[in-house]
Amino acid sequence: GAVVSQHPSRVICKSGTSVKIECRSLDFQATTMFWYRQFPKQSLMLMATSNEGSKATYEQGVEKDKFLINHASLTLSTLTVTSAHPEDSSFYICSARTQTGQNQPQHFGDGTRLSIL
Amino acid sequence: DAKTTQPNSMESNEEEPVHLPCNHSTISGTDYIHWYRQLPSQGPEYVIHGLTSNVNNRMASLAIAEDRKSSTLILHRATLRDAAVYYCILRDARNTPLVFGKGTRLSVIA
């Protein structure tokens, strides 16, 4: 089945640091990738949608200057949390989908647990 | 996406069948019914999806009511590894991103 790899799986860093998270589709071309955030005991919240080669579309309330998304190739998208603060501590999950076929499943990475001290 | 309603939690004995219900009374004609599950500390995993007819795959079965206002995910024999949060999600044919509700937390008892 389709595999999405996310790296790193865990990050602990000081307040003010910028953190980059990578999301790769290993065996398929992901024309669309999604980034979600999940706080403890809550559900996943969609942050943004990115299509390869174009600017990401952010959900309401998500700061695009705070969460920089790059989707430069069909197999790689990155999320950079700039100047991270303790309130940015969360579980970040990427997801990818091919465009072929109607209503194809979304494939998810295993998430990145970000802890800001 | 139309809203779904699921019980907060359910419990099952190991090796027993589990029926996870989902209500979606405002479903539109083009909405597909998707089920995903999330094991602890992992990203969600696709389980099954359907439009009108019942669906079976190696993981589960999806039973869709005739009026499509509800559906049931069926795990034929629950194992301890099936303990997870199960999400029932409606997604239209435009392939919009999945929007997650609160899901049902399934506990499996040995």
Side-chain angles (χ1 to χ4, degrees), chain A residues 91-104:
Chain A
F91 192 47
Y92 292 86
I93 306 168
C94 74
S95 179
R97 187 187 71 209
T98 62
Q99 203 62 18
T100 56
Q102 200 173 51
N103 236 274
Q104 291 300 303

Side-chain angles (χ1 to χ4, degrees), chain A residues 36 38 43 97 103-104 106, chain B residues 34 36 38 91 95 98 101:
Chain A
Y36 293 81
Q38 185 175 32
S43 188
R97 187 187 71 209
N103 236 274
Q104 291 300 303
Q106 276 181 223
Chain B
H34 287 250
Y36 284 73
Q38 185 178 23
R91 192 172 82 180
N95 269 328
L98 294 169

Side-chain angles (χ1 to χ4, degrees), chain A residues 3-117:
Chain A
V3 177
V4 174
S5 173
Q6 197 171 332
H7 179 79
S9 58
R10 174 139 197 167
V11 180
I12 302 172
C13 57
K14 293 181 181 178
S15 185
T17 307
S18 291
V19 178
K20 180 185 279 189
I21 302 169
E22 290 188 350
C23 179
R24 295 181 184 273
S25 57
L26 296 186
D27 53 359
F28 67 101
Q29 293 188 326
T31 51
T32 307
M33 286 187 169
F34 309 94
W35 287 94
Y36 293 81
R37 179 168 55 179
Q38 185 175 32
F39 292 108
K41 300 195 185 302
Q42 294 188 23
S43 188
L44 284 79
M45 185 192 79
L46 179 67
M47 298 175 68
T49 300
S50 72
N51 292 298
E52 184 261 339
S54 60
K55 287 185 179 180
T57 302
Y58 290 81
E59 296 298 303
Q60 194 171 9
V62 178
E63 301 174 54
K64 60 181 180 181
D65 294 330
K66 173 80 172 175
F67 300 99
L68 301 179
I69 292 171
N70 184 286
H71 189 170
S73 79
L74 286 171
T75 58
L76 173 65
S77 176
T78 60
L79 168 68
T80 301
V81 184
T82 60
S83 188
H85 291 284
E87 58 267 27
D88 298 321
S89 298
S90 188
F91 192 47
Y92 292 86
I93 306 168
C94 74
S95 179
R97 187 187 71 209
T98 62
Q99 203 62 18
T100 56
Q102 200 173 51
N103 236 274
Q104 291 300 303
Q106 276 181 223
H107 306 286
F108 290 82
D110 275 340
T112 297
R113 192 163 300 283
L114 176 61
S115 301
I116 308 298
L117 305 177

Side-chain angles (χ1 to χ4, degrees), chain B residues 5-13 15-23 35 47 54-56 59-65 70-79 82 84 86-88 103-108:
Chain B
T5 305
Q6 298 177 253
N8 289 334
S9 62
M10 289 184 66
E11 208 171 74
S12 171
N13 294 318
E15 299 191 5
E16 295 286 323
V18 182
H19 290 232
L20 296 160
C22 181
N23 287 320
W35 284 83
V47 178
N54 294 344
V55 185
N56 299 297
M59 287 183 73
S61 294
L62 175 59
I64 302 173
S70 65
S71 61
T72 303
L73 179 70
I74 302 165
L75 306 180
H76 296 285
R77 257 176 99 233
T79 69
D82 291 321
Y86 286 78
Y87 298 98
C88 169
T104 296
R105 181 173 298 278
L106 175 67
S107 302
V108 180

